[in-house]
Amino acid sequence: MIRRAFFTSFLNRQITRTIFSSKIINNNVEETENLTHFGFETVKASEKADKVHKVFENVAESYDLMNDAMSAGIHRVWKDVFLERFYPTQGTKLLDVAGGTGDIAFRYINYIKKLVKANPDNNVQSSVTIYDINQHMLNVGMKRAERLGFQSNEALDVDWVCGDAEKLPFDDNQFTAYTIAFGIRNVTNIDNVLREAYRVLQPGGRFMCLEFSHIEDSNLLQWQAFHHKNIYDQYSFQVIPPMGQILASQWEPYQYLVESIRRFPKQQDFKKMIRAAGFRAVDYENLTFGVCAIHSGYKV
């Protein structure tokens, strides 16, 4: 009986999502009518922030557990590669947006600590501001930081700020680096986020984004691309939401997760958006066939 109810619920949700997906309208029309997407659902732009906020409020405590379960731990490798490509130096002033539970910030802190140990006579101070729209996510991150001993000291200043990525409460030209990992697809207006990133970066500052993306045919033979996409789609829609229900007692947030990935711009399109915001030397690197990608650009 329980098994039948579970799969009946799953089927009903999939039917509902299929109906929503059939009603998706062109992005340009959505912007004209002040509409946007929330997964496969079309909603008023004014409603999306609250919907996304509720999603992450509900999953804050289980966020790290689900990341490990959904990706079999590969998300940790992606984030390690992201930090390697970032290659921070002592004196870096980092703004980590959508930093929530601290995954990128903590890697950055460890990196800076190694640099300080290797160069004890270098007295320049580095900093990281972890910024997130959801206080629940920040609370989880601050608890982790306290447990790990990641507090401000003479070599590194650590700050936690709650706010909107589309309206940063910081001065122009304040940071030398801006990172955002698995967060930009959740905002209402990506262009606003990119413009704000450009504004708060110093000339020469670097923008870096790690985000779920799209498997590109150019990476594989056509039949291989189709095969990988088919497996990836089946896993995304048939495994991740039920896994969320089992491990976190949350289905809808993880249904939204896989749908939001499909609605995010493809790599080349996002590259054009970053360049349109003013960044130069814009490029991207696919990870795991394009399941996610690292995007980078510089303010000149």
Side-chain angles (χ1 to χ4, degrees), residues 22-23 34 36 55 119 156 194 250 258 271 285 294:
S22 68
K23 294 180 179 179
N34 202 29
T36 188
V55 164
N119 302 279
L156 179 67
L194 294 173
Q250 298 285 341
V258 296
K271 180 179 178 179
E285 175 186 356
I294 297 171

Side-chain angles (χ1 to χ4, degrees), residues 94-106 108-109 127-133 137-138 141-142 145 150 157-163 170 175 179:
L94 171 63
L95 175 62
D96 182 36
V97 176
T101 57
D103 272 4
I104 299 302
F106 295 164
Y108 166 78
I109 291 171
S127 69
V128 56
T129 300
I130 302 101
Y131 187 84
D132 201 293
I133 198 170
M137 296 288 282
L138 287 171
M142 285 188 282
F150 289 159
D157 184 53
V158 181
D159 196 17
W160 301 80
V161 180
C162 186
F170 306 113
F175 299 94
T179 55

Side-chain angles (χ1 to χ4, degrees), residues 1-11 251:
M1 183 67 71
I2 294 175
R3 181 179 298 178
R4 181 184 301 174
F6 178 83
F7 283 105
T8 299
S9 174
F10 170 74
L11 181 61
W251 182 302

Side-chain angles (χ1 to χ4, degrees), residues 43-172:
V43 299
K44 293 180 180 178
S46 59
E47 297 176 347
K48 180 172 180 177
D50 287 339
K51 287 179 173 289
V52 172
H53 189 277
K54 184 176 180 180
V55 164
F56 286 94
E57 181 176 291
N58 289 339
V59 303
E61 295 296 334
S62 58
Y63 185 75
D64 296 313
L65 169 65
M66 280 300 298
N67 279 346
D68 282 332
M70 288 186 299
S71 71
I74 296 175
H75 77 100
R76 297 177 182 269
V77 177
W78 293 337
K79 291 167 183 173
D80 288 342
V81 173
F82 184 64
L83 237 297
E84 289 176 5
R85 301 297 186 266
F86 176 18
Y87 197 69
T89 59
Q90 283 179 267
T92 294
K93 297 179 180 179
L94 171 63
L95 175 62
D96 182 36
V97 176
T101 57
D103 272 4
I104 299 302
F106 295 164
R107 283 169 169 79
Y108 166 78
I109 291 171
N110 277 328
Y111 197 100
I112 294 297
K113 288 172 70 174
K114 290 178 182 178
L115 291 179
V116 171
K117 186 176 181 179
N119 302 279
D121 295 330
N122 189 341
N123 296 322
V124 64
Q125 188 181 52
S126 308
S127 69
V128 56
T129 300
I130 302 101
Y131 187 84
D132 201 293
I133 198 170
N134 194 299
Q135 187 63 49
H136 290 267
M137 296 288 282
L138 287 171
N139 290 343
V140 171
M142 285 188 282
K143 288 178 182 177
R144 289 181 64 196
E146 184 177 359
R147 186 171 67 250
L148 295 169
F150 289 159
Q151 309 297 332
S152 295
N153 55 50
E154 64 278 2
L156 179 67
D157 184 53
V158 181
D159 196 17
W160 301 80
V161 180
C162 186
D164 189 344
E166 297 187 43
K167 301 174 184 178
L168 297 176
F170 306 113
D171 294 336
D172 296 355

